[in-house]
Amino acid sequence: MNTAAKTRQTQRDRERIAWWEEARFGMFIHWGLYAIPAGKWKGKAIEGIGEWIMRRAEIPVAEYEQLASQFNPVKFDADAIAKLAQDAGMKYLVITAKHHDGFAMYDSPCSTYDIVDATPYGKDAMAALSKACEKYGIRLCFYYSQDQDWHAPNASGNDWDFDPATKDFAYYLENKVKPQVRELLTQYGPIGLIWFDTPVSISLEQSQALSRLVHTLQPDCLVSGRVGNGVGDYGSLGDNQIPTGRLEGYWETPATLNDTWGYKTDDHNWKSVKTLLHLLVDLVSKGVNYLLNIGPRADGSVPEQSVNRLRAIGRWMKTNGEAIYGTKATPYPHEFPWGGITQKGNRLYLLFTHWPGERFALPGLHNRVTKATLLADERARIAISQTRDNDCDMLELRLPACPDPNVAVVALDLDGAPEVDQTALQQADGSVAMIASMVNLHTPKSAPQIRIGESGVIENWFSTSNWVDCDFKISNPGAFEIRIHTSALRRAREWTGGHEVRVDLAGSTFRKTIAPDAWSDSPKARYFPEAATIIGNVQLDTPGIYTIEVRAESIDKKSRAGLSLSAITLTRK
Ligand code: JFZ
């Protein structure tokens, strides 16, 4: 479990991370020699993310390093990039100072394999970026690959030029990593964070030593969770990973605008502005920072598709940014089909990715709502009514026409700090959603522990002696369809089914094989597929609390993820 998410914090930890939690939204930049081949090598398209071309094509160091003599990014404009981050509403910028290919995009005194010594460009791009970020009030941060380095014989990752059996990782750490981390933290002014990555060989002691080095050189500089071994000032989710439900602690998701980090000429799979804003809402409403990537071309220019999308997000942020910056995750334990909720002081923000129309109902809010405001039009009138019956608080709003087809925000002023019912409640559309973090996990002593993983999904469910149950509250009885949702996990991108489950509810027993009766089409599931299995129909005739139980009668042995349950839902028949 990645304890870097810092669910337990010292006062110093809290001070250090305050700016980052306030920021919520940052720019990632993957830029290096790999932008020259841009996904092709010797005329052949190379699969996968652009910055991995050296490894995917097993390009010998002697060949790859020749790219440096071609690298002359005359169109690199640090000022324009920092301004773009500001225009997008991004508060910090993390750029690849050295990626897995080992090439330093800054003037590294300990190495000549860098942008100043090895290229016709001969200038320190990071120095220019440092000045530009200061000018626009953007915190400059560095990505640094501390473990994989395909140019270094003693680092991880290059087993086509170097024999893994002869590697001395400690030597690499002492003679390249630590000197370069020191350079990055002494040559470019205050640095917001060091974004370490892919800890494959590094030991706990080595991760701790790196974190200490950063905090010694710049006490306010954060260390990302990918420094490894549960060390770090915040947790880093998988690439493009969206958790199920809110997360405790401090988390960030790195994400792409298309499907690659480093520029590729042939990757045209750009996400729409609507999708990008929905991802922003989904992440921030769960307490997760959104680190959104651009991949400049070899000449230093930024693809227009990236620029246009970031500027559109920035226009939305100008109107709605108060619902993002400095907010905390939703006070509700579950997710909503219409969008997400953030909170700040005595305010709740309802961020509608799907506008409900004239009438909107929200169950479980114990506070009195003193005012409701449409951020896109503060003059718009929103009528409020609040009732309580069947032991369930219900807020109803009469909404005006939708002001923004991408995401529209309603701010609710409350009579105090938000207080909401933590039970799985029936929503206005009659549905009940019990996400994994809401269910009770049962693991007999003899069985391997099932747990809620970093992405909010049940992990390690390989034994039939594990089971789960969850209470939920029905205020409108009727007939319901039960579904079990299962999701791919970070290590096993592919979704697997085939498990036999037994579900008990209200005296009825259902048995079903986990199969993808319906795939989730939400942006959340684009990289981590999630499927719903229809279990059966049940009649619940009286309002009140019910308990649903889910058992595994067999687990498919071929599955690497096990029964990776992400949610149990009831929808109106
Ligand atoms: C890493 C890099 O390999 C990649 O090139 C890019 O820089 C990305 C942001 O980070 O890729 C990862 C690392 C970790 C996971 C997934 C992709 N993970 O833990 O799921």
Side-chain angles (χ1 to χ4, degrees):
M1 180 65 183
N2 181 339
T3 52
K6 282 277 186 285
T7 44
R8 284 178 307 287
Q9 271 211 314
T10 65
Q11 178 56 28
R12 184 67 186 97
D13 291 335
R14 273 189 289 279
E15 289 162 3
R16 185 182 289 123
I17 207 159
W19 73 264
W20 179 90
E21 192 185 11
E22 164 76 25
R24 283 288 178 240
F25 187 36
M27 176 185 274
F28 215 170
I29 304 178
H30 278 68
W31 189 43
L33 298 183
Y34 37 79
I36 296 171
K40 289 195 179 72
W41 191 253
K42 296 182 178 172
K44 188 165 160 280
I46 304 299
E47 278 302 298
I49 44 184
E51 68 284 1
W52 270 65
I53 192 164
M54 184 179 173
R55 176 161 176 80
R56 291 244 188 269
E58 294 199 341
I59 304 169
V61 164
E63 276 185 47
Y64 186 87
E65 62 187 3
Q66 297 310 313
L67 291 170
S69 62
Q70 303 167 40
F71 194 66
N72 190 14
V74 292
K75 290 185 180 173
F76 176 68
D77 181 343
D79 196 271
I81 286 178
K83 178 80 170 54
L84 175 61
Q86 186 190 64
D87 290 346
M90 295 162 150
K91 301 295 184 184
Y92 60 113
L93 179 155
V94 183
I95 186 166
T96 48
K98 180 194 74 78
H99 204 269
H100 307 331
D101 63 357
F103 184 74
M105 292 295 285
Y106 73 96
D107 185 10
S108 172
C110 82
S111 165
T112 54
Y113 193 48
D114 71 38
I115 192 170
V116 170
D117 299 316
T119 77
Y121 184 64
K123 289 182 281 187
D124 186 337
M126 298 305 113
L129 201 56
S130 170
K131 288 190 183 61
C133 284
E134 187 179 10
K135 175 179 172 183
Y136 292 105
I138 305 291
R139 282 193 191 245
L140 175 63
C141 310
F142 290 123
Y143 168 109
Y144 188 87
S145 176
Q146 82 282 11
D147 204 315
Q148 290 200 70
D149 185 327
W150 305 324
H151 191 264
N154 291 303
S156 313
N158 181 336
D159 54 9
W160 60 94
D161 282 316
F162 311 117
D163 175 0
T166 63
K167 290 181 189 280
D168 175 355
F169 181 72
Y171 179 87
Y172 168 68
L173 204 64
E174 294 306 319
N175 292 281
K176 183 166 181 181
V177 174
K178 288 184 178 176
Q180 289 196 321
V181 167
R182 190 178 296 278
E183 291 162 1
L184 290 169
L185 290 170
T186 52
Q187 295 176 190
Y188 303 101
I191 300 302
L193 66 94
I194 301 289
W195 212 91
F196 290 110
D197 197 12
T198 60
V200 288
S201 307
I202 196 167
S203 69
L204 171 62
E205 293 69 31
Q206 289 167 334
S207 298
Q208 290 168 331
L210 266 190
S211 178
R212 273 197 308 276
L213 173 63
V214 172
H215 289 159
T216 302
L217 292 168
Q218 292 206 22
D220 290 332
C221 183
L222 294 167
V223 171
S224 87
R226 289 190 191 173
V227 67
N229 300 294
V231 179
D233 294 306
Y234 68 86
S236 187
L237 287 172
D239 292 6
N240 290 296
Q241 186 165 31
I242 315 294
T244 298
R246 65 189 172 183
L247 296 183
E248 291 302 312
Y250 297 86
W251 291 92
E252 177 188 72
T253 287
T256 52
L257 279 167
N258 45 14
D259 291 321
T260 179
W261 306 91
Y263 178 70
K264 286 183 80 172
T265 41
D266 292 347
D267 185 333
H268 307 296
N269 196 18
W270 301 99
K271 297 174 183 74
S272 67
V273 171
K274 180 191 281 276
T275 295
L276 295 166
L277 284 170
H278 288 194
L279 289 166
L280 174 70
V281 167
D282 203 349
L283 285 168
V284 177
S285 67
K286 294 167 178 174
V288 181
N289 278 26
Y290 191 26
L291 184 63
L292 188 54
N293 182 74
I294 61 170
R297 300 185 184 91
D299 66 5
S301 63
V302 180
E304 299 64 35
Q305 297 90 334
S306 304
V307 173
N308 298 338
R309 282 160 176 77
L310 292 190
R311 289 211 172 114
I313 294 172
R315 287 191 292 273
W316 183 87
M317 289 292 255
K318 278 206 178 351
T319 303
N320 304 286
E322 71 172 85
I324 301 293
Y325 302 126
T327 60
K328 292 197 178 302
T330 173
Y332 281 91
H334 40 262
E335 299 184 339
F336 297 100
W338 47 263
I341 296 180
T342 60
Q343 58 174 311
K344 191 172 2 183
N346 293 351
R347 260 196 167 189
L348 277 187
Y349 294 96
L350 311 180
L351 296 103
F352 289 99
T353 55
H354 299 78
W355 191 249
E358 189 186 356
R359 291 180 176 280
F360 170 73
L362 179 68
L365 178 62
H366 299 328
N367 303 83
R368 188 167 60 81
V369 178
T370 58
K371 190 179 169 197
T373 312
L374 194 59
L375 292 193
D377 177 1
E378 305 210 347
R379 293 154 308 164
R381 261 191 50 72
I382 299 176
I384 301 165
S385 77
Q386 292 186 267
T387 55
R388 183 177 176 80
D389 57 41
N390 284 329
D391 186 27
C392 180
D393 290 305
M394 187 62 79
L395 164 70
E396 294 192 48
L397 303 176
R398 294 284 296 272
L399 297 171
C402 178
D404 184 331
N406 289 332
V407 179
V409 182
V410 170
L412 300 180
D413 290 315
L414 309 179
D415 61 357
E419 286 178 35
V420 304
D421 191 328
Q422 295 300 307
T423 322
L425 298 174
Q426 187 175 26
Q427 299 303 308
D429 64 359
S431 67
V432 181
M434 294 158 268
I435 60 173
S437 52
M438 298 168 76
V439 307
N440 304 307
L441 308 179
H442 299 278
T443 296
K445 289 219 177 352
S446 59
Q449 294 290 321
I450 53 176
R451 60 178 179 267
I452 303 298
E454 295 169 359
S455 60
V457 173
I458 290 182
E459 292 186 355
N460 206 37
W461 193 347
F462 294 95
S463 163
T464 55
S465 49
N466 297 123
W467 60 286
V468 301
D469 68 51
C470 190
D471 291 348
F472 61 92
K473 197 184 284 185
I474 290 288
S475 34
N476 297 315
F480 297 87
E481 179 179 86
I482 306 167
R483 294 187 173 202
I484 298 281
H485 303 254
T486 48
S487 170
L489 296 178
R490 74 186 314 173
R491 278 170 295 283
R493 289 245 191 265
E494 302 73 34
W495 177 89
T496 49
H499 320 297
E500 300 288 336
V501 294
R502 169 183 158 167
V503 176
D504 293 284
L505 171 59
S508 301
T509 295
F510 305 84
R511 283 184 169 80
K512 203 70 188 295
T513 302
I514 294 296
D517 296 326
W519 288 106
S520 166
D521 61 359
S522 81
K524 171 173 174 288
R526 175 168 165 154
Y527 296 94
F528 292 79
E530 185 173 62
T533 302
I534 298 171
I535 299 298
N537 299 326
V538 66
Q539 183 71 26
L540 302 178
D541 287 327
T542 51
I545 300 269
Y546 290 84
T547 301
I548 189 166
E549 296 180 354
V550 179
R551 287 173 170 77
E553 299 200 319
S554 76
I555 301 273
D556 185 325
K557 294 275 177 284
K558 296 188 300 300
S559 167
R560 287 171 58 195
L563 178 49
S564 49
L565 186 142
S566 55
I568 306 163
T569 58
L570 275 71
T571 43
R572 271 260 193 264
K573 275 311 285 178

